[in-house]
């Protein structure tokens, strides 16, 4: 039974096949409107979410399926101490596929090892968020038409930002990619990501604290939120939370075809004055996330022989 825990679970060919499937769904929605008739998605969210949970649910409805949902751990038997393993075994009796978010790294893998249906990791602590990376890849493909020859600025919380680590993994597979890593000293990209992904693949990168100086060279600027929920110390969070705020003044120095991305939710990282700029792609990312989740549900249910 195939589950998806990490972006490394996909080969490059599989990522490209999913992008092609998502593009076909966008162009021919009627073709897919009943492919999951009678099938059920269970969304198990032990941590807050707007986009990921609702886009999974919208995706299943648009494929003709149904959704059963746990939106709050406190209203489930997790509040009585039930384990993730037992929850996964139980939900396997009711649904055909699970999308799960949990604050603990590794929880999705535990669920996958105990479920008898496919499990999709919808975020496990600071570890992985593979379906956000699928949304990011479809957005880059639709904006740029290719993944090669891009200079990508990653800005903000590069330490705890699970979406950043997964995006580096996915893009490191392509030719002539360069990364500009823009963060406060305390939130630099972890050494293991630099060693295992960037240096191992001979991907050029620079590290800086300066967003203004970096902007002119970028094809993509991927902003991230400083994540309050990952800090042990409120004082450190308050000191770092507004390290980078993208404003129209800063954007004026960027290329005309820059793509500004953000996995959202944003707090202050991008001024709302930028939302109407043609370079703002973050709400396109939201929509693309739904299409990639449709493609993924479809593919996993096909592989499982459920449809
Ligand atoms: N990007 C993302 O994961 O958003 P949510 O936390 O709202 O699901």
């Amino acid at each position: 039974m195939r589950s998806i825990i990490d972006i490394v679970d996909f080969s490059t060919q599989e990522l490209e096949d999913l992008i092609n499937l998502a593009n076909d769904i966008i162009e021919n929605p009627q073709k897919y409107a009943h492919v999951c008739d009678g099938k059920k998605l269970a969304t198990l969210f032990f941590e807050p979410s707007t986009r990921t949970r609702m886009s999974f649910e919208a995706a299943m409805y648009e494929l003709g399926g149904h959704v059963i949902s746990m939106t709050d751990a406190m209203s489930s038997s997790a509040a009585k101490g039930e384990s993730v393993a037992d929850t996964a075994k139980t939900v396997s009796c009711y649904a055909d596929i699970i999308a799960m978010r949990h604050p603990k790294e590794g929880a999705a893998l535990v669920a996958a090892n105990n479920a008898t249906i496919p499990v999709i990791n919808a975020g496990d602590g600071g570890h992985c968020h593979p379906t956000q990376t699928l949304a990011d890849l479809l957005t880059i493909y639709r904006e740029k038409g290719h993944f090669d020859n891009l200079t990508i600025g990653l800005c903000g919380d590069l330490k705890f930002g699970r979406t950043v680590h997964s995006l580096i993994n996915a893009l490191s597979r392509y030719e002539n990619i360069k990364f500009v890593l823009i963060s406060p000293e305390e939130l630099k990209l972890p050494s293991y990501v630099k060693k295992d992904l960037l240096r191992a693949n001979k991907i050029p990168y620079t590290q800086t604290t300066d967003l203004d100086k970096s902007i002119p060279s970028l094809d993509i600027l991927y902003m991230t939120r400083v994540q309050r929920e990952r800090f042990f110390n409120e004082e450190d969070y308050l000191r770092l939370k507004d390290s980078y705020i993208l404003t129209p003044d800063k954007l004026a120095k960027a290329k005309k075809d820059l793509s500004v991305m953000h996995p959202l939710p944003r707090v202050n990282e991008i001024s709302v004055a930028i939302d109407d700029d043609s370079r703002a792609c973050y709400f396109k990312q939201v929509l693309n996330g739904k299409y990639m989740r449709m493609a993924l549900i479809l593919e996993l249910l096909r592989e499982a022989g459920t449809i």
Side-chain angles (χ1 to χ4, degrees), residues 7-37:
I7 200 70
V8 300
D9 297 339
F10 297 105
S11 69
T12 306
Q13 185 60 54
E14 284 174 327
L15 289 176
E16 292 174 6
D17 289 346
L18 280 175
I19 288 169
N20 290 336
L21 179 54
N23 277 320
D24 197 48
I25 291 170
I26 291 168
E27 281 161 30
N28 305 291
Q30 281 311 317
K31 199 167 122 188
Y32 298 93
H34 296 287
V35 284
C36 289
D37 275 358

PDB file of all heavy atoms in Angstrom, residues 7-37:
ATOM      1  N   ILE A   7       8.608  14.346   0.100  1.00  0.00           N
ATOM      2  CA  ILE A   7       8.735  14.591  -1.338  1.00  0.00           C
ATOM      3  C   ILE A   7       9.721  13.589  -1.965  1.00  0.00           C
ATOM      4  O   ILE A   7       9.618  13.273  -3.155  1.00  0.00           O
ATOM      5  CB  ILE A   7       9.156  16.067  -1.610  1.00  0.00           C
ATOM      6  CG1 ILE A   7       8.826  16.477  -3.035  1.00  0.00           C
ATOM      7  CG2 ILE A   7      10.604  16.324  -1.252  1.00  0.00           C
ATOM      8  CD1 ILE A   7       7.364  16.627  -3.344  1.00  0.00           C
ATOM      9  N   VAL A   8      10.631  13.035  -1.153  1.00  0.00           N
ATOM     10  CA  VAL A   8      11.577  12.054  -1.710  1.00  0.00           C
ATOM     11  C   VAL A   8      10.877  10.748  -2.092  1.00  0.00           C
ATOM     12  O   VAL A   8      11.463   9.903  -2.762  1.00  0.00           O
ATOM     13  CB  VAL A   8      12.748  11.731  -0.750  1.00  0.00           C
ATOM     14  CG1 VAL A   8      13.555  12.960  -0.429  1.00  0.00           C
ATOM     15  CG2 VAL A   8      12.268  11.067   0.522  1.00  0.00           C
ATOM     16  N   ASP A   9       9.626  10.595  -1.681  1.00  0.00           N
ATOM     17  CA  ASP A   9       8.869   9.397  -2.084  1.00  0.00           C
ATOM     18  C   ASP A   9       8.520   9.408  -3.567  1.00  0.00           C
ATOM     19  O   ASP A   9       8.030   8.397  -4.089  1.00  0.00           O
ATOM     20  CB  ASP A   9       7.573   9.273  -1.254  1.00  0.00           C
ATOM     21  CG  ASP A   9       7.868   9.074   0.230  1.00  0.00           C
ATOM     22  OD1 ASP A   9       8.992   8.649   0.546  1.00  0.00           O
ATOM     23  OD2 ASP A   9       6.979   9.355   1.052  1.00  0.00           O
ATOM     24  N   PHE A  10       8.714  10.556  -4.225  1.00  0.00           N
ATOM     25  CA  PHE A  10       8.409  10.655  -5.656  1.00  0.00           C
ATOM     26  C   PHE A  10       9.703  10.665  -6.463  1.00  0.00           C
ATOM     27  O   PHE A  10      10.642  11.417  -6.145  1.00  0.00           O
ATOM     28  CB  PHE A  10       7.694  11.975  -5.975  1.00  0.00           C
ATOM     29  CG  PHE A  10       6.353  12.140  -5.329  1.00  0.00           C
ATOM     30  CD1 PHE A  10       6.195  12.995  -4.248  1.00  0.00           C
ATOM     31  CD2 PHE A  10       5.239  11.470  -5.808  1.00  0.00           C
ATOM     32  CE1 PHE A  10       4.959  13.176  -3.660  1.00  0.00           C
ATOM     33  CE2 PHE A  10       3.991  11.642  -5.220  1.00  0.00           C
ATOM     34  CZ  PHE A  10       3.851  12.501  -4.144  1.00  0.00           C
ATOM     35  N   SER A  11       9.726   9.905  -7.556  1.00  0.00           N
ATOM     36  CA  SER A  11      10.807  10.078  -8.535  1.00  0.00           C
ATOM     37  C   SER A  11      10.528  11.369  -9.311  1.00  0.00           C
ATOM     38  O   SER A  11       9.399  11.896  -9.281  1.00  0.00           O
ATOM     39  CB  SER A  11      10.851   8.887  -9.485  1.00  0.00           C
ATOM     40  OG  SER A  11       9.694   8.916 -10.320  1.00  0.00           O
ATOM     41  N   THR A  12      11.533  11.856 -10.014  1.00  0.00           N
ATOM     42  CA  THR A  12      11.342  13.065 -10.817  1.00  0.00           C
ATOM     43  C   THR A  12      10.273  12.817 -11.881  1.00  0.00           C
ATOM     44  O   THR A  12       9.429  13.678 -12.149  1.00  0.00           O
ATOM     45  CB  THR A  12      12.682  13.476 -11.463  1.00  0.00           C
ATOM     46  OG1 THR A  12      13.641  13.584 -10.407  1.00  0.00           O
ATOM     47  CG2 THR A  12      12.585  14.803 -12.189  1.00  0.00           C
ATOM     48  N   GLN A  13      10.291  11.628 -12.469  1.00  0.00           N
ATOM     49  CA  GLN A  13       9.274  11.303 -13.481  1.00  0.00           C
ATOM     50  C   GLN A  13       7.874  11.320 -12.880  1.00  0.00           C
ATOM     51  O   GLN A  13       6.919  11.827 -13.488  1.00  0.00           O
ATOM     52  CB  GLN A  13       9.567   9.922 -14.105  1.00  0.00           C
ATOM     53  CG  GLN A  13       8.646   9.551 -15.257  1.00  0.00           C
ATOM     54  CD  GLN A  13       8.728  10.549 -16.409  1.00  0.00           C
ATOM     55  OE1 GLN A  13       9.826  10.827 -16.913  1.00  0.00           O
ATOM     56  NE2 GLN A  13       7.603  11.130 -16.808  1.00  0.00           N
ATOM     57  N   GLU A  14       7.739  10.784 -11.664  1.00  0.00           N
ATOM     58  CA  GLU A  14       6.416  10.775 -11.018  1.00  0.00           C
ATOM     59  C   GLU A  14       5.931  12.202 -10.731  1.00  0.00           C
ATOM     60  O   GLU A  14       4.737  12.499 -10.882  1.00  0.00           O
ATOM     61  CB  GLU A  14       6.466   9.976  -9.715  1.00  0.00           C
ATOM     62  CG  GLU A  14       6.491   8.479  -9.950  1.00  0.00           C
ATOM     63  CD  GLU A  14       6.677   7.689  -8.666  1.00  0.00           C
ATOM     64  OE1 GLU A  14       7.372   8.171  -7.742  1.00  0.00           O
ATOM     65  OE2 GLU A  14       6.136   6.573  -8.602  1.00  0.00           O
ATOM     66  N   LEU A  15       6.851  13.078 -10.322  1.00  0.00           N
ATOM     67  CA  LEU A  15       6.452  14.478 -10.081  1.00  0.00           C
ATOM     68  C   LEU A  15       5.943  15.095 -11.383  1.00  0.00           C
ATOM     69  O   LEU A  15       4.916  15.781 -11.401  1.00  0.00           O
ATOM     70  CB  LEU A  15       7.641  15.294  -9.550  1.00  0.00           C
ATOM     71  CG  LEU A  15       8.089  14.995  -8.114  1.00  0.00           C
ATOM     72  CD1 LEU A  15       9.328  15.810  -7.769  1.00  0.00           C
ATOM     73  CD2 LEU A  15       6.976  15.287  -7.121  1.00  0.00           C
ATOM     74  N   GLU A  16       6.658  14.841 -12.467  1.00  0.00           N
ATOM     75  CA  GLU A  16       6.253  15.421 -13.747  1.00  0.00           C
ATOM     76  C   GLU A  16       4.936  14.817 -14.236  1.00  0.00           C
ATOM     77  O   GLU A  16       4.093  15.512 -14.805  1.00  0.00           O
ATOM     78  CB  GLU A  16       7.401  15.291 -14.757  1.00  0.00           C
ATOM     79  CG  GLU A  16       8.558  16.200 -14.322  1.00  0.00           C
ATOM     80  CD  GLU A  16       9.833  16.091 -15.147  1.00  0.00           C
ATOM     81  OE1 GLU A  16       9.835  15.388 -16.172  1.00  0.00           O
ATOM     82  OE2 GLU A  16      10.838  16.719 -14.756  1.00  0.00           O
ATOM     83  N   ASP A  17       4.733  13.517 -13.981  1.00  0.00           N
ATOM     84  CA  ASP A  17       3.451  12.882 -14.350  1.00  0.00           C
ATOM     85  C   ASP A  17       2.293  13.511 -13.569  1.00  0.00           C
ATOM     86  O   ASP A  17       1.207  13.740 -14.124  1.00  0.00           O
ATOM     87  CB  ASP A  17       3.498  11.373 -14.078  1.00  0.00           C
ATOM     88  CG  ASP A  17       4.410  10.628 -15.052  1.00  0.00           C
ATOM     89  OD1 ASP A  17       4.795  11.227 -16.083  1.00  0.00           O
ATOM     90  OD2 ASP A  17       4.749   9.467 -14.766  1.00  0.00           O
ATOM     91  N   LEU A  18       2.516  13.797 -12.278  1.00  0.00           N
ATOM     92  CA  LEU A  18       1.451  14.423 -11.476  1.00  0.00           C
ATOM     93  C   LEU A  18       1.150  15.839 -11.971  1.00  0.00           C
ATOM     94  O   LEU A  18      -0.009  16.258 -12.009  1.00  0.00           O
ATOM     95  CB  LEU A  18       1.864  14.479  -9.997  1.00  0.00           C
ATOM     96  CG  LEU A  18       1.711  13.196  -9.185  1.00  0.00           C
ATOM     97  CD1 LEU A  18       2.275  13.389  -7.779  1.00  0.00           C
ATOM     98  CD2 LEU A  18       0.253  12.750  -9.091  1.00  0.00           C
ATOM     99  N   ILE A  19       2.200  16.560 -12.353  1.00  0.00           N
ATOM    100  CA  ILE A  19       1.991  17.914 -12.902  1.00  0.00           C
ATOM    101  C   ILE A  19       1.179  17.826 -14.196  1.00  0.00           C
ATOM    102  O   ILE A  19       0.226  18.594 -14.408  1.00  0.00           O
ATOM    103  CB  ILE A  19       3.355  18.611 -13.123  1.00  0.00           C
ATOM    104  CG1 ILE A  19       3.954  18.981 -11.758  1.00  0.00           C
ATOM    105  CG2 ILE A  19       3.222  19.852 -14.014  1.00  0.00           C
ATOM    106  CD1 ILE A  19       5.397  19.420 -11.812  1.00  0.00           C
ATOM    107  N   ASN A  20       1.510  16.868 -15.041  1.00  0.00           N
ATOM    108  CA  ASN A  20       0.754  16.708 -16.297  1.00  0.00           C
ATOM    109  C   ASN A  20      -0.693  16.334 -16.021  1.00  0.00           C
ATOM    110  O   ASN A  20      -1.624  16.843 -16.674  1.00  0.00           O
ATOM    111  CB  ASN A  20       1.409  15.639 -17.188  1.00  0.00           C
ATOM    112  CG  ASN A  20       2.732  16.126 -17.743  1.00  0.00           C
ATOM    113  OD1 ASN A  20       2.959  17.341 -17.850  1.00  0.00           O
ATOM    114  ND2 ASN A  20       3.620  15.211 -18.080  1.00  0.00           N
ATOM    115  N   LEU A  21      -0.898  15.448 -15.020  1.00  0.00           N
ATOM    116  CA  LEU A  21      -2.267  15.052 -14.665  1.00  0.00           C
ATOM    117  C   LEU A  21      -3.031  16.263 -14.115  1.00  0.00           C
ATOM    118  O   LEU A  21      -4.195  16.494 -14.489  1.00  0.00           O
ATOM    119  CB  LEU A  21      -2.218  13.908 -13.641  1.00  0.00           C
ATOM    120  CG  LEU A  21      -3.550  13.364 -13.128  1.00  0.00           C
ATOM    121  CD1 LEU A  21      -4.472  12.931 -14.274  1.00  0.00           C
ATOM    122  CD2 LEU A  21      -3.316  12.187 -12.172  1.00  0.00           C
ATOM    123  N   ALA A  22      -2.392  17.051 -13.253  1.00  0.00           N
ATOM    124  CA  ALA A  22      -3.062  18.242 -12.700  1.00  0.00           C
ATOM    125  C   ALA A  22      -3.419  19.222 -13.816  1.00  0.00           C
ATOM    126  O   ALA A  22      -4.518  19.804 -13.824  1.00  0.00           O
ATOM    127  CB  ALA A  22      -2.164  18.916 -11.666  1.00  0.00           C
ATOM    128  N   ASN A  23      -2.528  19.403 -14.760  1.00  0.00           N
ATOM    129  CA  ASN A  23      -2.831  20.306 -15.881  1.00  0.00           C
ATOM    130  C   ASN A  23      -4.004  19.784 -16.708  1.00  0.00           C
ATOM    131  O   ASN A  23      -4.850  20.555 -17.163  1.00  0.00           O
ATOM    132  CB  ASN A  23      -1.592  20.495 -16.770  1.00  0.00           C
ATOM    133  CG  ASN A  23      -0.654  21.556 -16.200  1.00  0.00           C
ATOM    134  OD1 ASN A  23      -1.098  22.584 -15.700  1.00  0.00           O
ATOM    135  ND2 ASN A  23       0.639  21.302 -16.284  1.00  0.00           N
ATOM    136  N   ASP A  24      -4.083  18.460 -16.870  1.00  0.00           N
ATOM    137  CA  ASP A  24      -5.219  17.885 -17.606  1.00  0.00           C
ATOM    138  C   ASP A  24      -6.521  18.074 -16.822  1.00  0.00           C
ATOM    139  O   ASP A  24      -7.573  18.346 -17.411  1.00  0.00           O
ATOM    140  CB  ASP A  24      -4.959  16.390 -17.893  1.00  0.00           C
ATOM    141  CG  ASP A  24      -5.880  15.872 -18.987  1.00  0.00           C
ATOM    142  OD1 ASP A  24      -5.992  16.544 -20.041  1.00  0.00           O
ATOM    143  OD2 ASP A  24      -6.529  14.826 -18.777  1.00  0.00           O
ATOM    144  N   ILE A  25      -6.437  17.937 -15.486  1.00  0.00           N
ATOM    145  CA  ILE A  25      -7.635  18.170 -14.654  1.00  0.00           C
ATOM    146  C   ILE A  25      -8.091  19.624 -14.801  1.00  0.00           C
ATOM    147  O   ILE A  25      -9.296  19.905 -14.902  1.00  0.00           O
ATOM    148  CB  ILE A  25      -7.324  17.825 -13.172  1.00  0.00           C
ATOM    149  CG1 ILE A  25      -7.119  16.316 -12.997  1.00  0.00           C
ATOM    150  CG2 ILE A  25      -8.436  18.337 -12.253  1.00  0.00           C
ATOM    151  CD1 ILE A  25      -6.558  15.899 -11.623  1.00  0.00           C
ATOM    152  N   ILE A  26      -7.142  20.553 -14.836  1.00  0.00           N
ATOM    153  CA  ILE A  26      -7.486  21.982 -14.971  1.00  0.00           C
ATOM    154  C   ILE A  26      -8.201  22.214 -16.317  1.00  0.00           C
ATOM    155  O   ILE A  26      -9.204  22.921 -16.393  1.00  0.00           O
ATOM    156  CB  ILE A  26      -6.214  22.854 -14.869  1.00  0.00           C
ATOM    157  CG1 ILE A  26      -5.659  22.809 -13.434  1.00  0.00           C
ATOM    158  CG2 ILE A  26      -6.489  24.305 -15.290  1.00  0.00           C
ATOM    159  CD1 ILE A  26      -4.263  23.396 -13.266  1.00  0.00           C
ATOM    160  N   GLU A  27      -7.677  21.572 -17.363  1.00  0.00           N
ATOM    161  CA  GLU A  27      -8.241  21.811 -18.697  1.00  0.00           C
ATOM    162  C   GLU A  27      -9.527  21.025 -18.960  1.00  0.00           C
ATOM    163  O   GLU A  27     -10.379  21.471 -19.734  1.00  0.00           O
ATOM    164  CB  GLU A  27      -7.192  21.448 -19.760  1.00  0.00           C
ATOM    165  CG  GLU A  27      -6.157  22.556 -19.925  1.00  0.00           C
ATOM    166  CD  GLU A  27      -4.879  22.065 -20.585  1.00  0.00           C
ATOM    167  OE1 GLU A  27      -4.951  21.125 -21.389  1.00  0.00           O
ATOM    168  OE2 GLU A  27      -3.817  22.629 -20.278  1.00  0.00           O
ATOM    169  N   ASN A  28      -9.665  19.870 -18.319  1.00  0.00           N
ATOM    170  CA  ASN A  28     -10.821  18.985 -18.597  1.00  0.00           C
ATOM    171  C   ASN A  28     -11.490  18.518 -17.308  1.00  0.00           C
ATOM    172  O   ASN A  28     -11.538  17.302 -17.038  1.00  0.00           O
ATOM    173  CB  ASN A  28     -10.354  17.747 -19.383  1.00  0.00           C
ATOM    174  CG  ASN A  28      -9.616  18.125 -20.645  1.00  0.00           C
ATOM    175  OD1 ASN A  28     -10.202  18.645 -21.578  1.00  0.00           O
ATOM    176  ND2 ASN A  28      -8.317  17.875 -20.655  1.00  0.00           N
ATOM    177  N   PRO A  29     -12.015  19.423 -16.493  1.00  0.00           N
ATOM    178  CA  PRO A  29     -12.544  18.998 -15.179  1.00  0.00           C
ATOM    179  C   PRO A  29     -13.659  17.960 -15.279  1.00  0.00           C
ATOM    180  O   PRO A  29     -13.767  17.079 -14.420  1.00  0.00           O
ATOM    181  CB  PRO A  29     -13.048  20.312 -14.555  1.00  0.00           C
ATOM    182  CG  PRO A  29     -13.131  21.294 -15.667  1.00  0.00           C
ATOM    183  CD  PRO A  29     -12.159  20.869 -16.710  1.00  0.00           C
ATOM    184  N   GLN A  30     -14.465  18.016 -16.343  1.00  0.00           N
ATOM    185  CA  GLN A  30     -15.597  17.074 -16.457  1.00  0.00           C
ATOM    186  C   GLN A  30     -15.140  15.628 -16.572  1.00  0.00           C
ATOM    187  O   GLN A  30     -15.816  14.704 -16.104  1.00  0.00           O
ATOM    188  CB  GLN A  30     -16.483  17.448 -17.655  1.00  0.00           C
ATOM    189  CG  GLN A  30     -17.418  18.611 -17.380  1.00  0.00           C
ATOM    190  CD  GLN A  30     -18.191  18.447 -16.073  1.00  0.00           C
ATOM    191  OE1 GLN A  30     -18.687  17.368 -15.748  1.00  0.00           O
ATOM    192  NE2 GLN A  30     -18.262  19.518 -15.286  1.00  0.00           N
ATOM    193  N   LYS A  31     -13.946  15.450 -17.204  1.00  0.00           N
ATOM    194  CA  LYS A  31     -13.389  14.108 -17.387  1.00  0.00           C
ATOM    195  C   LYS A  31     -13.152  13.418 -16.040  1.00  0.00           C
ATOM    196  O   LYS A  31     -13.130  12.195 -15.946  1.00  0.00           O
ATOM    197  CB  LYS A  31     -12.071  14.266 -18.148  1.00  0.00           C
ATOM    198  CG  LYS A  31     -11.524  13.066 -18.821  1.00  0.00           C
ATOM    199  CD  LYS A  31     -10.409  13.521 -19.761  1.00  0.00           C
ATOM    200  CE  LYS A  31      -9.090  12.880 -19.457  1.00  0.00           C
ATOM    201  NZ  LYS A  31      -7.988  13.445 -20.236  1.00  0.00           N
ATOM    202  N   TYR A  32     -12.946  14.227 -14.990  1.00  0.00           N
ATOM    203  CA  TYR A  32     -12.556  13.680 -13.675  1.00  0.00           C
ATOM    204  C   TYR A  32     -13.664  13.807 -12.633  1.00  0.00           C
ATOM    205  O   TYR A  32     -13.471  13.463 -11.480  1.00  0.00           O
ATOM    206  CB  TYR A  32     -11.294  14.420 -13.187  1.00  0.00           C
ATOM    207  CG  TYR A  32     -10.124  14.204 -14.118  1.00  0.00           C
ATOM    208  CD1 TYR A  32      -9.848  15.095 -15.162  1.00  0.00           C
ATOM    209  CD2 TYR A  32      -9.319  13.076 -13.989  1.00  0.00           C
ATOM    210  CE1 TYR A  32      -8.793  14.886 -16.033  1.00  0.00           C
ATOM    211  CE2 TYR A  32      -8.260  12.856 -14.853  1.00  0.00           C
ATOM    212  CZ  TYR A  32      -8.005  13.759 -15.870  1.00  0.00           C
ATOM    213  OH  TYR A  32      -6.966  13.527 -16.732  1.00  0.00           O
ATOM    214  N   ALA A  33     -14.835  14.293 -13.036  1.00  0.00           N
ATOM    215  CA  ALA A  33     -15.869  14.671 -12.059  1.00  0.00           C
ATOM    216  C   ALA A  33     -16.484  13.471 -11.331  1.00  0.00           C
ATOM    217  O   ALA A  33     -17.096  13.638 -10.279  1.00  0.00           O
ATOM    218  CB  ALA A  33     -16.962  15.489 -12.742  1.00  0.00           C
ATOM    219  N   HIS A  34     -16.303  12.252 -11.884  1.00  0.00           N
ATOM    220  CA  HIS A  34     -16.921  11.072 -11.235  1.00  0.00           C
ATOM    221  C   HIS A  34     -15.928   9.942 -11.013  1.00  0.00           C
ATOM    222  O   HIS A  34     -16.330   8.830 -10.699  1.00  0.00           O
ATOM    223  CB  HIS A  34     -18.100  10.577 -12.086  1.00  0.00           C
ATOM    224  CG  HIS A  34     -19.203  11.588 -12.172  1.00  0.00           C
ATOM    225  ND1 HIS A  34     -20.044  11.857 -11.120  1.00  0.00           N
ATOM    226  CD2 HIS A  34     -19.547  12.435 -13.172  1.00  0.00           C
ATOM    227  CE1 HIS A  34     -20.882  12.821 -11.472  1.00  0.00           C
ATOM    228  NE2 HIS A  34     -20.601  13.187 -12.710  1.00  0.00           N
ATOM    229  N   VAL A  35     -14.634  10.222 -11.138  1.00  0.00           N
ATOM    230  CA  VAL A  35     -13.659   9.116 -11.060  1.00  0.00           C
ATOM    231  C   VAL A  35     -13.569   8.533  -9.653  1.00  0.00           C
ATOM    232  O   VAL A  35     -13.119   7.393  -9.485  1.00  0.00           O
ATOM    233  CB  VAL A  35     -12.247   9.547 -11.548  1.00  0.00           C
ATOM    234  CG1 VAL A  35     -12.180   9.647 -13.052  1.00  0.00           C
ATOM    235  CG2 VAL A  35     -11.808  10.841 -10.903  1.00  0.00           C
ATOM    236  N   CYS A  36     -13.972   9.290  -8.637  1.00  0.00           N
ATOM    237  CA  CYS A  36     -13.943   8.771  -7.257  1.00  0.00           C
ATOM    238  C   CYS A  36     -15.345   8.622  -6.674  1.00  0.00           C
ATOM    239  O   CYS A  36     -15.519   8.649  -5.448  1.00  0.00           O
ATOM    240  CB  CYS A  36     -13.101   9.687  -6.360  1.00  0.00           C
ATOM    241  SG  CYS A  36     -11.349   9.589  -6.713  1.00  0.00           S
ATOM    242  N   ASP A  37     -16.340   8.443  -7.528  1.00  0.00           N
ATOM    243  CA  ASP A  37     -17.717   8.272  -7.043  1.00  0.00           C
ATOM    244  C   ASP A  37     -17.761   7.179  -5.969  1.00  0.00           C
ATOM    245  O   ASP A  37     -17.232   6.068  -6.171  1.00  0.00           O
ATOM    246  CB  ASP A  37     -18.650   7.856  -8.198  1.00  0.00           C
ATOM    247  CG  ASP A  37     -19.155   9.074  -8.975  1.00  0.00           C
ATOM    248  OD1 ASP A  37     -18.815  10.212  -8.599  1.00  0.00           O
ATOM    249  OD2 ASP A  37     -19.890   8.866  -9.964  1.00  0.00           O
TER     250      ASP A  37
END
